[in-house]
Amino acid sequence: MKTHTAMTLAVFLARSVMPIAAGHAEQSLIPPDMVYVAQGPSVMGIDKEQPAADSGKTLTPYERRMNTPWSADALNDETPAHMVMLDSYLIDKYEVSNKDYGDFIRTKGHPAPAYWDDPRLNKPGQPVVGVNWYDATAYCEFRGKRLPTEAEWEKAARGPKANLYPWGNEFDPAKSNFGKNHDATMPVDAYPDGVSYYGAYNMAGNAFEWVSDWYDPRYYGRFDTSVNPTGPAQPLWLGGTGTYVDRLTVGEKRVIRGGSWIAPEGTVRATHRFWNHPMNNSYGVGLGFRCAKTAPSEIEQQIRDAYVTALVEMGRERFADAQQAVSRGLAIDPKNVELLELHQLIEQSMKRS
């Protein structure tokens, strides 16, 4: 049925649509340091089972902290799982490096972050750490970008199948830097076997990453919209005495995602949420970021043009030209399901012809 429908459409287009020029390669609208995430639905969050009764096992410090009464909301802040709809966007392939952040410091005269002189953490290829939310926002604006929303970050990490980890649903300690398995952060292009479905590196471990949203542990249960959600409209005060130091520990929070080289295994799960005061420049010594931007509409247009051109050429039984059109589209969005299905259909048609 799919084959018949596609071929019928191809014949119609071949008869009624003017040929679309394909004589020159179009310049990519996707920067080499970013990956494209197409518009569409995405699962956010996870439905958690209630913790089992104490079986006598020794809890880790992280487990003890998360089982204390004040953490009851935080323990369940990843629930419920829900579907969101996101427009297409671009997100950095790598965490922002010391090298790139150094260019920002020199060009804008921006203050250096914490740990800038720490020899464990300041190599050019390592992710910059010790930045607060305002530093990260300023850098992204300098690059003509912005911080990703929490929903965008999670979709880029989980892919269309809502993986629990960037690489799949089974934890693999060899694919991320966490729990002090190394003495410091690793280069931003480390762990190529742990990249996400869309090709983003180190979305599990290495450095926690700022996102744009305010933090509210109950937000998933009462989010305002499922279309391009941007988090709570107002920050939530989590308690405290109101002193300056207290504001940096329990006050208004922004979300951080992705775990870090010093954080435990549970934090590298792609659904894990954590928080930090926007003025605080550290979570241990592993707090960095990556940037995002709304995808230019021309990207989707180029993909649509490639798809229509392929259908037209199929209707003319010019399968080699159809295959070239599909290849142009897949060069822009190698994960495009419609183009991948059409590519398979063209190959079958070429074998029969």
Side-chain angles (χ1 to χ4, degrees):
M1 179 63 71
K2 279 187 177 180
T3 301
H4 178 268
T5 302
M7 291 303 295
T8 300
L9 180 57
V11 171
F12 171 78
L13 288 169
R15 291 174 178 173
S16 61
V17 179
M18 293 295 291
I20 298 173
H24 64 280
E26 305 224 19
Q27 183 177 0
S28 176
L29 294 168
I30 303 174
D33 60 345
M34 303 189 84
V35 297
Y36 174 69
V37 182
Q39 66 176 351
S42 177
V43 175
M44 193 175 185
I46 187 173
D47 291 322
K48 280 187 175 182
E49 297 179 0
Q50 292 298 318
D54 185 8
S55 59
K57 80 162 191 169
T58 302
L59 299 178
T60 66
Y62 176 76
E63 289 171 330
R64 286 199 301 272
R65 181 172 66 82
M66 295 307 289
N67 283 337
T68 56
W70 67 267
S71 290
D73 286 335
L75 183 63
N76 295 302
D77 66 356
E78 301 169 40
T79 64
H82 54 283
M83 190 73 72
V84 296
M85 294 292 297
L86 300 179
D87 291 337
S88 57
Y89 61 97
L90 304 171
I91 190 167
D92 285 352
K93 185 181 297 185
Y94 308 111
E95 297 157 320
V96 174
S97 68
N98 286 317
K99 177 182 180 300
D100 289 339
Y101 200 83
D103 293 340
F104 167 60
I105 291 173
R106 288 186 291 274
T107 302
K108 302 297 288 185
H110 196 86
Y115 318 112
W116 192 242
D117 296 325
D118 190 327
R120 298 173 303 160
L121 302 165
N122 66 0
K123 296 178 181 62
Q126 289 176 287
V128 64
V129 292
V131 293
N132 65 37
W133 186 88
Y134 299 101
D135 294 328
T137 298
Y139 173 89
C140 290
E141 290 176 353
F142 167 69
R143 294 293 187 186
K145 306 176 185 179
R146 57 175 171 76
L147 284 175
T149 65
E150 188 173 15
E152 289 173 335
W153 191 98
E154 188 166 325
K155 181 177 181 179
R158 301 183 73 181
K161 295 184 178 179
N163 293 332
L164 291 179
Y165 303 95
W167 54 84
N169 285 315
E170 299 297 325
F171 179 68
D172 186 340
K175 293 181 177 178
S176 64
N177 182 17
F178 72 99
K180 296 185 179 179
N181 290 336
H182 294 279
D183 294 332
T185 54
M186 297 292 285
V188 295
D189 60 354
Y191 301 100
D193 291 337
V195 299
S196 74
Y197 173 88
Y198 296 105
Y201 282 66
N202 287 299
M203 299 200 83
N206 216 33
F208 267 114
E209 300 179 18
W210 288 110
V211 297
S212 62
D213 303 35
W214 289 111
Y215 176 77
D216 181 341
R218 298 188 180 95
Y219 177 64
Y220 283 10
R222 48 180 168 80
F223 59 97
D224 298 325
T225 178
S226 60
V227 180
N228 297 318
T230 57
Q234 299 292 330
L236 178 72
W237 180 259
L238 298 182
T241 63
T243 64
Y244 174 74
V245 173
D246 205 33
R247 285 176 183 270
L248 295 184
T249 55
V250 294
E252 299 171 347
K253 305 296 184 182
R254 295 282 185 176
V255 177
I256 57 176
R257 300 295 297 259
S260 76
W261 68 279
I262 62 170
E265 176 187 326
T267 66
V268 304
R269 188 177 60 249
T271 60
H272 180 76
R273 308 176 71 213
F274 211 68
W275 62 90
N276 206 347
H277 190 282
M279 283 296 293
N280 199 346
N281 61 9
S282 178
Y283 180 75
V285 286
L287 181 54
F289 67 104
R290 74 181 72 215
C291 304
K293 64 189 302 183
T294 302
S297 59
E298 293 87 347
I299 292 179
E300 292 181 12
Q301 184 62 53
Q302 288 181 8
I303 293 170
R304 285 194 296 269
D305 287 350
Y307 185 79
V308 171
T309 301
L311 288 176
V312 169
E313 299 301 346
M314 285 183 69
R316 294 169 173 161
E317 297 189 357
R318 291 168 22 178
F319 300 119
D321 291 339
Q323 197 170 48
Q324 288 180 4
V326 168
S327 296
R328 287 197 298 274
L330 289 175
I332 301 169
D333 182 11
K335 302 297 185 180
N336 187 282
V337 174
E338 290 182 332
L339 288 173
L340 289 171
E341 290 178 348
L342 191 54
H343 175 72
Q344 186 177 17
L345 181 61
I346 293 169
E347 286 191 334
Q348 293 171 355
S349 298
M350 292 178 75
K351 290 177 182 178
R352 290 196 298 266
S353 62

